[in-house]
């Protein structure tokens, strides 16, 4: 069974540019989560989808971040405009039940 | 105070040793508990869920003490391949959503 996939694996952009990260969850998993790990800090929750609905977006840092999951399959996380402090690794995870979560390999975002 | 606290380590132990990690959580409404392992520059991988009755998976044993709000992980007969960062993860449900909170991780290094 294919795991969670994320694209791109690595992105380097300049401050002020826009970046869109994509996550494809495990097939059949209704729950999809985005997390971020900033260097030296613990992994922090960003938001949670159940199918196409946002259940909890309390972890989104500010309105420069926009997540979508149209059709309840893959999800995108757009950062516009990117700032230096947005650098980090963005993980996506999916879960069939909302309990155990399975993580993708992450997208390493560097904003210069 | 962080909601999930772990000793950051590093723990440096010889192959074959037994090593134990503890983790404490502050929110008594927490309902689900997990240990994940994360290898360097990789995604977190679910190691095991933790139940009140305790659970064992081969060389790994996890315990939950709800009264004292701590979780433990015991690794017996440690192998070189056990070297990784071990993340304590605590979840709780509210409304129809669920949220998980990561500890900052405990680094384990097994030496030959």
């Amino acid at each position: 069974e294919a795991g969670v996939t994320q694209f791109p694996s690595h992105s380097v952009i300049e401050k002020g540019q826009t970046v869109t990260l994509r996550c494809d969850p495990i097939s059949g998993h209704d729950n999809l989560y985005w997390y971020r790990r900033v260097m030296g800090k613990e992994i922090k929750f960003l938001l949670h989808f159940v199918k196409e609905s946002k259940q909890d977006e309390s972890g989104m840092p500010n309105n420069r971040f926009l997540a979508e999951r149209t059709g309840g399959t893959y999800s995108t996380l757009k950062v516009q405009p990117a700032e230096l402090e947005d650098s980090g690794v963005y993980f996506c995870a999916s879960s069939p039940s909302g309990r155990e979560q399975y993580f993708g390999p992450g997208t390493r975002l560097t904003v210069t | 105070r962080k909601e999930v606290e772990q000793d950051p380590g590093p723990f440096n132990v010889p192959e074959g040793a037994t090593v134990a990690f503890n983790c404490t959580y502050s929110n008594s409404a927490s309902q689900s508990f997990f240990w994940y392992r994360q290898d360097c520059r990789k995604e977190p991988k679910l190691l095991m869920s933790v139940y009140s009755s305790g659970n064992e998976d081969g060389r790994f044993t996890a315990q939950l003490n709800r009264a004292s709000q701590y979780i433990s992980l015991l690794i017996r007969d440690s192998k070189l391949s056990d070297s990784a960062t071990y993340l304590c993860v605590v979840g709780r449900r509210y409304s129809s959503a669920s949220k998980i909170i990561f500890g900052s991780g405990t680094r384990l290094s097994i030496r030959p």
Side-chain angles (χ1 to χ4, degrees):
Chain A
E1 179 185 286
V4 177
T5 58
Q6 291 187 245
F7 182 83
S9 57
H10 201 152
S11 179
V12 181
I13 61 171
E14 291 182 356
K15 177 182 168 179
Q17 290 186 319
T18 297
V19 64
T20 300
L21 315 181
R22 174 173 168 141
C23 168
D24 286 78
I26 293 171
S27 178
H29 284 196
D30 288 341
N31 294 274
L32 186 151
Y33 306 81
W34 283 98
Y35 295 90
R36 177 172 74 172
R37 184 168 208 163
V38 171
M39 190 182 298
K41 304 278 189 181
E42 64 270 19
I43 295 171
K44 286 267 171 74
F45 167 84
L46 295 179
L47 87 159
H48 170 205
F49 284 99
V50 176
K51 298 186 181 178
E52 66 273 14
S53 299
K54 289 177 188 173
Q55 288 296 299
D56 180 358
E57 52 184 328
S58 61
M60 295 286 261
N62 50 60
N63 59 10
R64 296 185 293 102
F65 289 75
L66 175 65
E68 294 180 320
R69 193 183 182 195
T70 308
T73 54
Y74 72 91
S75 174
T76 57
L77 178 65
K78 183 161 75 173
V79 185
Q80 178 183 33
E83 297 290 344
L84 297 178
E85 65 264 24
D86 300 333
S87 296
V89 182
Y90 289 77
F91 290 107
C92 173
S94 72
S95 171
S97 62
R99 191 178 154 83
E100 288 94 352
Q101 299 185 17
Y102 301 89
F103 282 75
T107 294
R108 185 171 298 274
L109 175 64
T110 303
V111 183
T112 62
Chain B
R1 186 191 167 191
K2 291 181 182 176
E3 189 166 342
V4 178
E5 297 256 24
Q6 291 184 254
D7 182 340
F11 284 63
N12 190 321
V13 302
E15 199 172 4
T18 295
V19 61
F21 307 136
N22 285 332
C23 163
T24 57
Y25 61 95
S26 59
N27 193 322
S28 59
S30 300
Q31 297 167 301
S32 52
F33 309 90
F34 310 92
W35 285 101
Y36 280 74
R37 74 170 272 167
Q38 186 172 25
D39 295 286
C40 189
R41 300 177 84 84
K42 297 283 190 180
E43 72 273 22
K45 285 201 161 81
L46 179 64
L47 182 63
M48 55 200 307
S49 299
V50 189
Y51 302 104
S52 296
S53 54
N55 48 306
E56 189 174 310
D57 183 2
R59 298 181 293 107
F60 298 82
T61 300
Q63 295 276 356
L64 166 64
N65 184 319
R66 283 189 185 271
S68 301
Q69 295 183 198
Y70 81 77
I71 308 139
S72 64
L73 177 68
L74 184 77
I75 305 175
R76 290 181 299 278
D77 187 25
S78 53
K79 312 288 184 195
L80 295 176
S81 58
D82 294 334
S83 297
T85 296
Y86 290 81
L87 302 168
C88 174
V89 179
V90 171
R92 61 177 184 274
R93 294 191 77 89
Y94 54 98
S95 304
S96 57
S98 62
K99 186 169 187 173
I100 71 171
I101 296 96
F102 282 79
S104 51
T106 298
R107 283 176 49 211
L108 173 65
S109 179
I110 308 295
R111 61 180 188 270

